[in-house]
Amino acid sequence: APVIQIQASNAFGDPVPGVLVLVTWPSGEMRFYTGLKQELGLGYADFIVTPGITYTIQLGENGEKVTDLTAASCTRPGGTTFWGAWLLKFTQL
């Protein structure tokens, strides 16, 4: 499935759990937190996206927005296609 992955870290590069992730799209929104999948990292979160829909990601209520994210169709050598992933890394200054 196409996915947007988020990694949140502090200024020292340490992962930060409990950071609010706000995902919005034209017909809705979802809120969740980093660190819920501890086996992937304390600062990690992800969200499965629907092809053809454009998403915006924001950390915290007032964080900078990353806009115009859509499912990425990728092609392997040989021509087969698969859904790719976005990896967004947020670092506290």
Side-chain angles (χ1 to χ4, degrees), residues 2 49-55 70-71 83:
V49 298
T50 302
I53 295 178
T54 301
Y55 296 88
T70 60
W83 292 114

Side-chain angles (χ1 to χ4, degrees), residues 1-3 6 10 12-14 18 23 25-26 29 31-32 36-37 50 54 60 62-64 69-70 72 83 86 90:
V3 65
I6 294 105
N10 63 20
F12 300 104
D14 300 320
V23 181
W25 60 96
E29 78 172 38
R31 295 168 180 258
F32 52 94
L36 299 177
K37 295 183 177 180
T50 302
T54 301
N62 299 312
E64 187 174 340
L69 297 169
T70 60
W83 292 114
W86 288 96
F90 293 89

Side-chain angles (χ1 to χ4, degrees), residues 8 15 18 22 27 30 42 46 48 52 55 65 70 79-80 84 86:
L22 176 59
S27 62
M30 178 171 270
L42 292 175
D46 62 28
I48 295 174
Y55 296 88
K65 296 178 181 178
T70 60
T80 60
W86 288 96

Side-chain angles (χ1 to χ4, degrees), residues 3-9 21-23 34 43-45 55-59 64-67 69 85-91:
V3 65
I4 297 173
Q5 301 170 311
I6 294 105
Q7 291 181 344
S9 60
V21 179
L22 176 59
V23 181
T34 59
Y44 179 85
Y55 296 88
T56 297
I57 304 286
Q58 178 180 347
L59 263 58
E64 187 174 340
K65 296 178 181 178
V66 178
T67 60
L69 297 169
W86 288 96
L87 174 59
L88 305 177
K89 295 183 177 185
F90 293 89
T91 304

